[in-house]
PDB file of all heavy atoms in Angstrom:
ATOM      1  N   ARG A 920      16.625  36.627 -45.584  1.00 98.00           N
ATOM      2  CA  ARG A 920      16.741  35.708 -44.445  1.00 98.00           C
ATOM      3  C   ARG A 920      18.220  35.454 -44.151  1.00 98.00           C
ATOM      4  O   ARG A 920      19.084  35.640 -45.010  1.00 98.00           O
ATOM      5  CB  ARG A 920      16.056  34.369 -44.787  1.00 98.00           C
ATOM      6  CG  ARG A 920      14.549  34.455 -45.006  1.00 98.00           C
ATOM      7  CD  ARG A 920      13.774  34.396 -43.713  1.00 98.00           C
ATOM      8  NE  ARG A 920      14.063  33.184 -42.955  1.00 98.00           N
ATOM      9  CZ  ARG A 920      13.495  31.996 -43.182  1.00 98.00           C
ATOM     10  NH1 ARG A 920      12.602  31.855 -44.138  1.00 98.00           N
ATOM     11  NH2 ARG A 920      13.796  30.949 -42.429  1.00 98.00           N
ATOM     12  N   ARG A 921      18.500  34.929 -42.975  1.00 98.00           N
ATOM     13  CA  ARG A 921      19.897  34.603 -42.654  1.00 98.00           C
ATOM     14  C   ARG A 921      20.437  33.589 -43.663  1.00 98.00           C
ATOM     15  O   ARG A 921      19.711  32.728 -44.162  1.00 98.00           O
ATOM     16  CB  ARG A 921      20.003  34.012 -41.245  1.00 98.00           C
ATOM     17  CG  ARG A 921      19.834  35.043 -40.163  1.00 98.00           C
ATOM     18  CD  ARG A 921      20.308  34.530 -38.821  1.00 98.00           C
ATOM     19  NE  ARG A 921      21.771  34.550 -38.730  1.00 98.00           N
ATOM     20  CZ  ARG A 921      22.444  34.347 -37.594  1.00 98.00           C
ATOM     21  NH1 ARG A 921      21.796  34.078 -36.477  1.00 98.00           N
ATOM     22  NH2 ARG A 921      23.758  34.395 -37.594  1.00 98.00           N
ATOM     23  N   ALA A 922      21.728  33.693 -43.936  1.00 98.00           N
ATOM     24  CA  ALA A 922      22.348  32.848 -44.961  1.00 98.00           C
ATOM     25  C   ALA A 922      22.198  31.367 -44.641  1.00 98.00           C
ATOM     26  O   ALA A 922      22.229  30.523 -45.539  1.00 98.00           O
ATOM     27  CB  ALA A 922      23.822  33.206 -45.104  1.00 98.00           C
ATOM     28  N   LEU A 923      22.000  31.047 -43.373  1.00 98.00           N
ATOM     29  CA  LEU A 923      21.774  29.659 -42.976  1.00 98.00           C
ATOM     30  C   LEU A 923      20.630  29.033 -43.758  1.00 98.00           C
ATOM     31  O   LEU A 923      20.618  27.837 -44.009  1.00 98.00           O
ATOM     32  CB  LEU A 923      21.445  29.622 -41.469  1.00 98.00           C
ATOM     33  CG  LEU A 923      20.963  28.305 -40.872  1.00 98.00           C
ATOM     34  CD1 LEU A 923      22.106  27.295 -40.841  1.00 98.00           C
ATOM     35  CD2 LEU A 923      20.436  28.524 -39.450  1.00 98.00           C
ATOM     36  N   TYR A 924      19.661  29.872 -44.143  1.00 98.00           N
ATOM     37  CA  TYR A 924      18.455  29.335 -44.767  1.00 98.00           C
ATOM     38  C   TYR A 924      18.519  29.351 -46.290  1.00 98.00           C
ATOM     39  O   TYR A 924      17.550  29.004 -46.951  1.00 98.00           O
ATOM     40  CB  TYR A 924      17.227  30.104 -44.256  1.00 98.00           C
ATOM     41  CG  TYR A 924      17.076  29.990 -42.760  1.00 98.00           C
ATOM     42  CD1 TYR A 924      17.245  31.082 -41.920  1.00 98.00           C
ATOM     43  CD2 TYR A 924      16.832  28.745 -42.193  1.00 98.00           C
ATOM     44  CE1 TYR A 924      17.153  30.954 -40.549  1.00 98.00           C
ATOM     45  CE2 TYR A 924      16.740  28.611 -40.807  1.00 98.00           C
ATOM     46  CZ  TYR A 924      16.902  29.715 -39.996  1.00 98.00           C
ATOM     47  OH  TYR A 924      16.817  29.561 -38.637  1.00 98.00           O
ATOM     48  N   THR A 925      19.636  29.759 -46.848  1.00 98.00           N
ATOM     49  CA  THR A 925      19.777  29.755 -48.303  1.00 98.00           C
ATOM     50  C   THR A 925      19.785  28.315 -48.819  1.00 98.00           C
ATOM     51  O   THR A 925      20.486  27.458 -48.273  1.00 98.00           O
ATOM     52  CB  THR A 925      21.093  30.451 -48.713  1.00 98.00           C
ATOM     53  OG1 THR A 925      21.019  31.801 -48.280  1.00 98.00           O
ATOM     54  CG2 THR A 925      21.297  30.393 -50.216  1.00 98.00           C
ATOM     55  N   PHE A 926      19.000  28.073 -49.849  1.00 98.00           N
ATOM     56  CA  PHE A 926      18.932  26.729 -50.433  1.00 98.00           C
ATOM     57  C   PHE A 926      20.314  26.328 -50.941  1.00 98.00           C
ATOM     58  O   PHE A 926      20.982  27.100 -51.630  1.00 98.00           O
ATOM     59  CB  PHE A 926      17.927  26.724 -51.584  1.00 98.00           C
ATOM     60  CG  PHE A 926      17.566  25.337 -52.046  1.00 98.00           C
ATOM     61  CD1 PHE A 926      16.444  24.693 -51.552  1.00 98.00           C
ATOM     62  CD2 PHE A 926      18.359  24.670 -52.966  1.00 98.00           C
ATOM     63  CE1 PHE A 926      16.117  23.405 -51.958  1.00 98.00           C
ATOM     64  CE2 PHE A 926      18.040  23.382 -53.376  1.00 98.00           C
ATOM     65  CZ  PHE A 926      16.915  22.757 -52.880  1.00 98.00           C
ATOM     66  N   ARG A 927      20.730  25.131 -50.608  1.00 97.00           N
ATOM     67  CA  ARG A 927      22.065  24.684 -50.991  1.00 97.00           C
ATOM     68  C   ARG A 927      22.013  23.537 -51.983  1.00 97.00           C
ATOM     69  O   ARG A 927      21.724  22.409 -51.603  1.00 97.00           O
ATOM     70  CB  ARG A 927      22.836  24.227 -49.751  1.00 97.00           C
ATOM     71  CG  ARG A 927      23.257  25.388 -48.907  1.00 97.00           C
ATOM     72  CD  ARG A 927      23.899  24.980 -47.611  1.00 97.00           C
ATOM     73  NE  ARG A 927      24.087  26.199 -46.834  1.00 97.00           N
ATOM     74  CZ  ARG A 927      25.265  26.718 -46.538  1.00 97.00           C
ATOM     75  NH1 ARG A 927      26.359  26.126 -46.888  1.00 97.00           N
ATOM     76  NH2 ARG A 927      25.339  27.850 -45.859  1.00 97.00           N
ATOM     77  N   TYR A 928      22.263  23.852 -53.236  1.00 97.00           N
ATOM     78  CA  TYR A 928      22.513  22.807 -54.239  1.00 97.00           C
ATOM     79  C   TYR A 928      23.982  22.429 -54.149  1.00 97.00           C
ATOM     80  O   TYR A 928      24.854  23.284 -54.189  1.00 97.00           O
ATOM     81  CB  TYR A 928      22.247  23.335 -55.655  1.00 97.00           C
ATOM     82  CG  TYR A 928      20.814  23.337 -56.090  1.00 97.00           C
ATOM     83  CD1 TYR A 928      20.157  24.523 -56.372  1.00 97.00           C
ATOM     84  CD2 TYR A 928      20.117  22.141 -56.263  1.00 97.00           C
ATOM     85  CE1 TYR A 928      18.840  24.533 -56.791  1.00 97.00           C
ATOM     86  CE2 TYR A 928      18.803  22.143 -56.682  1.00 97.00           C
ATOM     87  CZ  TYR A 928      18.161  23.335 -56.953  1.00 97.00           C
ATOM     88  OH  TYR A 928      16.869  23.337 -57.368  1.00 97.00           O
ATOM     89  N   ARG A 929      24.232  21.141 -54.076  1.00 96.00           N
ATOM     90  CA  ARG A 929      25.634  20.737 -53.977  1.00 96.00           C
ATOM     91  C   ARG A 929      26.401  21.079 -55.252  1.00 96.00           C
ATOM     92  O   ARG A 929      27.543  21.507 -55.192  1.00 96.00           O
ATOM     93  CB  ARG A 929      25.727  19.228 -53.734  1.00 96.00           C
ATOM     94  CG  ARG A 929      25.315  18.842 -52.333  1.00 96.00           C
ATOM     95  CD  ARG A 929      25.544  17.354 -52.086  1.00 96.00           C
ATOM     96  NE  ARG A 929      25.742  17.072 -50.679  1.00 96.00           N
ATOM     97  CZ  ARG A 929      24.847  16.443 -49.911  1.00 96.00           C
ATOM     98  NH1 ARG A 929      23.715  16.026 -50.407  1.00 96.00           N
ATOM     99  NH2 ARG A 929      25.095  16.228 -48.637  1.00 96.00           N
ATOM    100  N   SER A 930      25.774  20.886 -56.401  1.00 94.00           N
ATOM    101  CA  SER A 930      26.541  21.074 -57.640  1.00 94.00           C
ATOM    102  C   SER A 930      26.599  22.534 -58.067  1.00 94.00           C
ATOM    103  O   SER A 930      27.441  22.902 -58.877  1.00 94.00           O
ATOM    104  CB  SER A 930      25.964  20.215 -58.766  1.00 94.00           C
ATOM    105  OG  SER A 930      24.677  20.668 -59.128  1.00 94.00           O
ATOM    106  N   ILE A 931      25.702  23.358 -57.559  1.00 94.00           N
ATOM    107  CA  ILE A 931      25.706  24.787 -57.888  1.00 94.00           C
ATOM    108  C   ILE A 931      25.651  25.569 -56.573  1.00 94.00           C
ATOM    109  O   ILE A 931      24.602  26.048 -56.175  1.00 94.00           O
ATOM    110  CB  ILE A 931      24.475  25.175 -58.753  1.00 94.00           C
ATOM    111  CG1 ILE A 931      24.297  24.229 -59.932  1.00 94.00           C
ATOM    112  CG2 ILE A 931      24.570  26.624 -59.216  1.00 94.00           C
ATOM    113  CD1 ILE A 931      25.267  24.459 -61.061  1.00 94.00           C
ATOM    114  N   PRO A 932      26.768  25.683 -55.902  1.00 94.00           N
ATOM    115  CA  PRO A 932      26.733  26.387 -54.612  1.00 94.00           C
ATOM    116  C   PRO A 932      26.340  27.851 -54.801  1.00 94.00           C
ATOM    117  O   PRO A 932      26.628  28.438 -55.849  1.00 94.00           O
ATOM    118  CB  PRO A 932      28.174  26.290 -54.104  1.00 94.00           C
ATOM    119  CG  PRO A 932      28.864  25.298 -54.971  1.00 94.00           C
ATOM    120  CD  PRO A 932      28.121  25.233 -56.254  1.00 94.00           C
ATOM    121  N   TYR A 933      25.697  28.405 -53.807  1.00 96.00           N
ATOM    122  CA  TYR A 933      25.310  29.820 -53.878  1.00 96.00           C
ATOM    123  C   TYR A 933      26.594  30.646 -53.974  1.00 96.00           C
ATOM    124  O   TYR A 933      27.479  30.541 -53.118  1.00 96.00           O
ATOM    125  CB  TYR A 933      24.500  30.188 -52.634  1.00 96.00           C
ATOM    126  CG  TYR A 933      23.863  31.553 -52.733  1.00 96.00           C
ATOM    127  CD1 TYR A 933      22.827  31.782 -53.637  1.00 96.00           C
ATOM    128  CD2 TYR A 933      24.301  32.608 -51.957  1.00 96.00           C
ATOM    129  CE1 TYR A 933      22.248  33.039 -53.748  1.00 96.00           C
ATOM    130  CE2 TYR A 933      23.729  33.866 -52.057  1.00 96.00           C
ATOM    131  CZ  TYR A 933      22.697  34.073 -52.957  1.00 96.00           C
ATOM    132  OH  TYR A 933      22.129  35.313 -53.074  1.00 96.00           O
ATOM    133  N   PRO A 934      26.717  31.448 -55.037  1.00 95.00           N
ATOM    134  CA  PRO A 934      28.035  32.032 -55.361  1.00 95.00           C
ATOM    135  C   PRO A 934      28.660  32.840 -54.239  1.00 95.00           C
ATOM    136  O   PRO A 934      29.851  32.709 -53.958  1.00 95.00           O
ATOM    137  CB  PRO A 934      27.744  32.934 -56.562  1.00 95.00           C
ATOM    138  CG  PRO A 934      26.456  32.475 -57.124  1.00 95.00           C
ATOM    139  CD  PRO A 934      25.689  31.818 -56.022  1.00 95.00           C
ATOM    140  N   MET A 935      27.839  33.671 -53.582  1.00 95.00           N
ATOM    141  CA  MET A 935      28.432  34.532 -52.575  1.00 95.00           C
ATOM    142  C   MET A 935      28.985  33.699 -51.409  1.00 95.00           C
ATOM    143  O   MET A 935      30.059  33.983 -50.871  1.00 95.00           O
ATOM    144  CB  MET A 935      27.353  35.510 -52.090  1.00 95.00           C
ATOM    145  CG  MET A 935      27.845  36.565 -51.151  1.00 95.00           C
ATOM    146  SD  MET A 935      27.783  35.951 -49.476  1.00 95.00           S
ATOM    147  CE  MET A 935      28.821  37.148 -48.670  1.00 95.00           C
ATOM    148  N   LEU A 936      28.262  32.654 -51.034  1.00 96.00           N
ATOM    149  CA  LEU A 936      28.728  31.827 -49.918  1.00 96.00           C
ATOM    150  C   LEU A 936      29.946  31.009 -50.338  1.00 96.00           C
ATOM    151  O   LEU A 936      30.884  30.808 -49.562  1.00 96.00           O
ATOM    152  CB  LEU A 936      27.600  30.909 -49.431  1.00 96.00           C
ATOM    153  CG  LEU A 936      26.369  31.631 -48.887  1.00 96.00           C
ATOM    154  CD1 LEU A 936      25.312  30.624 -48.453  1.00 96.00           C
ATOM    155  CD2 LEU A 936      26.738  32.533 -47.713  1.00 96.00           C
ATOM    156  N   GLN A 937      29.928  30.554 -51.584  1.00 94.00           N
ATOM    157  CA  GLN A 937      31.067  29.778 -52.065  1.00 94.00           C
ATOM    158  C   GLN A 937      32.332  30.638 -52.081  1.00 94.00           C
ATOM    159  O   GLN A 937      33.414  30.185 -51.716  1.00 94.00           O
ATOM    160  CB  GLN A 937      30.773  29.260 -53.474  1.00 94.00           C
ATOM    161  CG  GLN A 937      31.865  28.341 -53.994  1.00 94.00           C
ATOM    162  CD  GLN A 937      31.717  28.040 -55.466  1.00 94.00           C
ATOM    163  OE1 GLN A 937      31.117  28.807 -56.220  1.00 94.00           O
ATOM    164  NE2 GLN A 937      32.245  26.915 -55.898  1.00 94.00           N
ATOM    165  N   ALA A 938      32.172  31.906 -52.506  1.00 94.00           N
ATOM    166  CA  ALA A 938      33.344  32.786 -52.585  1.00 94.00           C
ATOM    167  C   ALA A 938      34.008  32.922 -51.215  1.00 94.00           C
ATOM    168  O   ALA A 938      35.223  33.036 -51.118  1.00 94.00           O
ATOM    169  CB  ALA A 938      32.932  34.156 -53.114  1.00 94.00           C
ATOM    170  N   PHE A 939      33.200  32.876 -50.170  1.00 95.00           N
ATOM    171  CA  PHE A 939      33.754  33.026 -48.818  1.00 95.00           C
ATOM    172  C   PHE A 939      33.951  31.675 -48.131  1.00 95.00           C
ATOM    173  O   PHE A 939      33.875  31.571 -46.920  1.00 95.00           O
ATOM    174  CB  PHE A 939      32.880  33.964 -47.991  1.00 95.00           C
ATOM    175  CG  PHE A 939      33.065  35.426 -48.352  1.00 95.00           C
ATOM    176  CD1 PHE A 939      32.250  36.031 -49.284  1.00 95.00           C
ATOM    177  CD2 PHE A 939      34.081  36.168 -47.773  1.00 95.00           C
ATOM    178  CE1 PHE A 939      32.424  37.366 -49.633  1.00 95.00           C
ATOM    179  CE2 PHE A 939      34.268  37.510 -48.112  1.00 95.00           C
ATOM    180  CZ  PHE A 939      33.445  38.114 -49.045  1.00 95.00           C
ATOM    181  N   ASP A 940      34.169  30.640 -48.928  1.00 94.00           N
ATOM    182  CA  ASP A 940      34.659  29.354 -48.423  1.00 94.00           C
ATOM    183  C   ASP A 940      33.631  28.484 -47.701  1.00 94.00           C
ATOM    184  O   ASP A 940      34.011  27.592 -46.940  1.00 94.00           O
ATOM    185  CB  ASP A 940      35.879  29.530 -47.489  1.00 94.00           C
ATOM    186  CG  ASP A 940      36.982  30.357 -48.108  1.00 94.00           C
ATOM    187  OD1 ASP A 940      37.325  30.076 -49.262  1.00 94.00           O
ATOM    188  OD2 ASP A 940      37.477  31.288 -47.449  1.00 94.00           O
ATOM    189  N   ALA A 941      32.337  28.719 -47.918  1.00 95.00           N
ATOM    190  CA  ALA A 941      31.362  27.792 -47.340  1.00 95.00           C
ATOM    191  C   ALA A 941      31.497  26.449 -48.058  1.00 95.00           C
ATOM    192  O   ALA A 941      31.596  26.411 -49.272  1.00 95.00           O
ATOM    193  CB  ALA A 941      29.950  28.337 -47.509  1.00 95.00           C
ATOM    194  N   PRO A 942      31.524  25.348 -47.320  1.00 94.00           N
ATOM    195  CA  PRO A 942      31.626  24.046 -47.988  1.00 94.00           C
ATOM    196  C   PRO A 942      30.305  23.697 -48.669  1.00 94.00           C
ATOM    197  O   PRO A 942      29.253  24.211 -48.290  1.00 94.00           O
ATOM    198  CB  PRO A 942      31.925  23.084 -46.843  1.00 94.00           C
ATOM    199  CG  PRO A 942      31.362  23.748 -45.636  1.00 94.00           C
ATOM    200  CD  PRO A 942      31.438  25.222 -45.866  1.00 94.00           C
ATOM    201  N   ASN A 943      30.351  22.831 -49.682  1.00 92.00           N
ATOM    202  CA  ASN A 943      29.123  22.552 -50.433  1.00 92.00           C
ATOM    203  C   ASN A 943      28.413  21.286 -49.982  1.00 92.00           C
ATOM    204  O   ASN A 943      27.419  20.908 -50.578  1.00 92.00           O
ATOM    205  CB  ASN A 943      29.388  22.519 -51.935  1.00 92.00           C
ATOM    206  CG  ASN A 943      30.270  21.368 -52.342  1.00 92.00           C
ATOM    207  OD1 ASN A 943      30.773  20.641 -51.480  1.00 92.00           O
ATOM    208  ND2 ASN A 943      30.469  21.179 -53.625  1.00 92.00           N
ATOM    209  N   GLY A 944      28.916  20.631 -48.942  1.00 94.00           N
ATOM    210  CA  GLY A 944      28.186  19.485 -48.406  1.00 94.00           C
ATOM    211  C   GLY A 944      28.477  18.162 -49.097  1.00 94.00           C
ATOM    212  O   GLY A 944      27.813  17.177 -48.835  1.00 94.00           O
ATOM    213  N   ASP A 945      29.471  18.129 -49.978  1.00 93.00           N
ATOM    214  CA  ASP A 945      29.806  16.852 -50.617  1.00 93.00           C
ATOM    215  C   ASP A 945      30.331  15.842 -49.596  1.00 93.00           C
ATOM    216  O   ASP A 945      30.203  14.637 -49.789  1.00 93.00           O
ATOM    217  CB  ASP A 945      30.888  17.050 -51.684  1.00 93.00           C
ATOM    218  CG  ASP A 945      30.338  17.663 -52.959  1.00 93.00           C
ATOM    219  OD1 ASP A 945      29.115  17.819 -53.053  1.00 93.00           O
ATOM    220  OD2 ASP A 945      31.134  17.974 -53.863  1.00 93.00           O
ATOM    221  N   PHE A 946      30.954  16.346 -48.548  1.00 93.00           N
ATOM    222  CA  PHE A 946      31.517  15.467 -47.538  1.00 93.00           C
ATOM    223  C   PHE A 946      31.622  16.255 -46.232  1.00 93.00           C
ATOM    224  O   PHE A 946      31.513  17.486 -46.249  1.00 93.00           O
ATOM    225  CB  PHE A 946      32.900  14.955 -47.964  1.00 93.00           C
ATOM    226  CG  PHE A 946      33.827  16.068 -48.347  1.00 93.00           C
ATOM    227  CD1 PHE A 946      34.695  16.617 -47.421  1.00 93.00           C
ATOM    228  CD2 PHE A 946      33.796  16.594 -49.637  1.00 93.00           C
ATOM    229  CE1 PHE A 946      35.514  17.671 -47.764  1.00 93.00           C
ATOM    230  CE2 PHE A 946      34.626  17.653 -49.984  1.00 93.00           C
ATOM    231  CZ  PHE A 946      35.489  18.189 -49.043  1.00 93.00           C
ATOM    232  N   ALA A 947      31.840  15.555 -45.141  1.00 95.00           N
ATOM    233  CA  ALA A 947      31.882  16.223 -43.838  1.00 95.00           C
ATOM    234  C   ALA A 947      33.057  17.184 -43.766  1.00 95.00           C
ATOM    235  O   ALA A 947      34.158  16.858 -44.183  1.00 95.00           O
ATOM    236  CB  ALA A 947      32.007  15.173 -42.731  1.00 95.00           C
ATOM    237  N   CYS A 948      32.813  18.359 -43.237  1.00 95.00           N
ATOM    238  CA  CYS A 948      33.864  19.373 -43.126  1.00 95.00           C
ATOM    239  C   CYS A 948      33.879  19.892 -41.698  1.00 95.00           C
ATOM    240  O   CYS A 948      32.881  20.436 -41.232  1.00 95.00           O
ATOM    241  CB  CYS A 948      33.593  20.514 -44.106  1.00 95.00           C
ATOM    242  SG  CYS A 948      34.623  21.964 -43.834  1.00 95.00           S
ATOM    243  N   VAL A 949      34.944  19.676 -40.982  1.00 95.00           N
ATOM    244  CA  VAL A 949      35.020  20.184 -39.620  1.00 95.00           C
ATOM    245  C   VAL A 949      36.032  21.317 -39.507  1.00 95.00           C
ATOM    246  O   VAL A 949      36.328  21.790 -38.418  1.00 95.00           O
ATOM    247  CB  VAL A 949      35.371  19.077 -38.597  1.00 95.00           C
ATOM    248  CG1 VAL A 949      34.208  18.110 -38.469  1.00 95.00           C
ATOM    249  CG2 VAL A 949      36.635  18.343 -38.979  1.00 95.00           C
ATOM    250  N   ARG A 950      36.561  21.751 -40.631  1.00 92.00           N
ATOM    251  CA  ARG A 950      37.529  22.853 -40.601  1.00 92.00           C
ATOM    252  C   ARG A 950      37.438  23.551 -41.950  1.00 92.00           C
ATOM    253  O   ARG A 950      37.855  23.028 -42.954  1.00 92.00           O
ATOM    254  CB  ARG A 950      38.927  22.279 -40.383  1.00 92.00           C
ATOM    255  CG  ARG A 950      40.038  23.271 -40.472  1.00 92.00           C
ATOM    256  CD  ARG A 950      41.279  22.707 -39.786  1.00 92.00           C
ATOM    257  NE  ARG A 950      41.744  21.444 -40.334  1.00 92.00           N
ATOM    258  CZ  ARG A 950      42.753  21.347 -41.218  1.00 92.00           C
ATOM    259  NH1 ARG A 950      43.365  22.413 -41.644  1.00 92.00           N
ATOM    260  NH2 ARG A 950      43.135  20.163 -41.643  1.00 92.00           N
ATOM    261  N   ARG A 951      36.853  24.721 -41.940  1.00 92.00           N
ATOM    262  CA  ARG A 951      36.740  25.456 -43.191  1.00 92.00           C
ATOM    263  C   ARG A 951      38.070  26.093 -43.553  1.00 92.00           C
ATOM    264  O   ARG A 951      38.813  26.517 -42.677  1.00 92.00           O
ATOM    265  CB  ARG A 951      35.709  26.575 -43.067  1.00 92.00           C
ATOM    266  CG  ARG A 951      34.301  26.118 -43.095  1.00 92.00           C
ATOM    267  CD  ARG A 951      33.378  27.326 -43.231  1.00 92.00           C
ATOM    268  NE  ARG A 951      31.990  26.892 -43.172  1.00 92.00           N
ATOM    269  CZ  ARG A 951      30.963  27.665 -43.440  1.00 92.00           C
ATOM    270  NH1 ARG A 951      31.160  28.921 -43.795  1.00 92.00           N
ATOM    271  NH2 ARG A 951      29.740  27.205 -43.370  1.00 92.00           N
TER     272      ARG A 951
END
Side-chain angles (χ1 to χ4, degrees):
Chain A
R920 295 276 303 278
R921 286 196 77 169
L923 171 70
Y924 300 112
T925 298
F926 193 95
R927 287 174 187 247
Y928 278 116
R929 287 185 154 109
S930 67
I931 311 284
Y933 190 69
M935 186 273 164
L936 298 179
Q937 185 191 24
F939 284 93
D940 308 312
N943 66 355
D945 284 354
F946 53 94
C948 168
V949 291
R950 174 161 58 99
R951 284 191 184 190

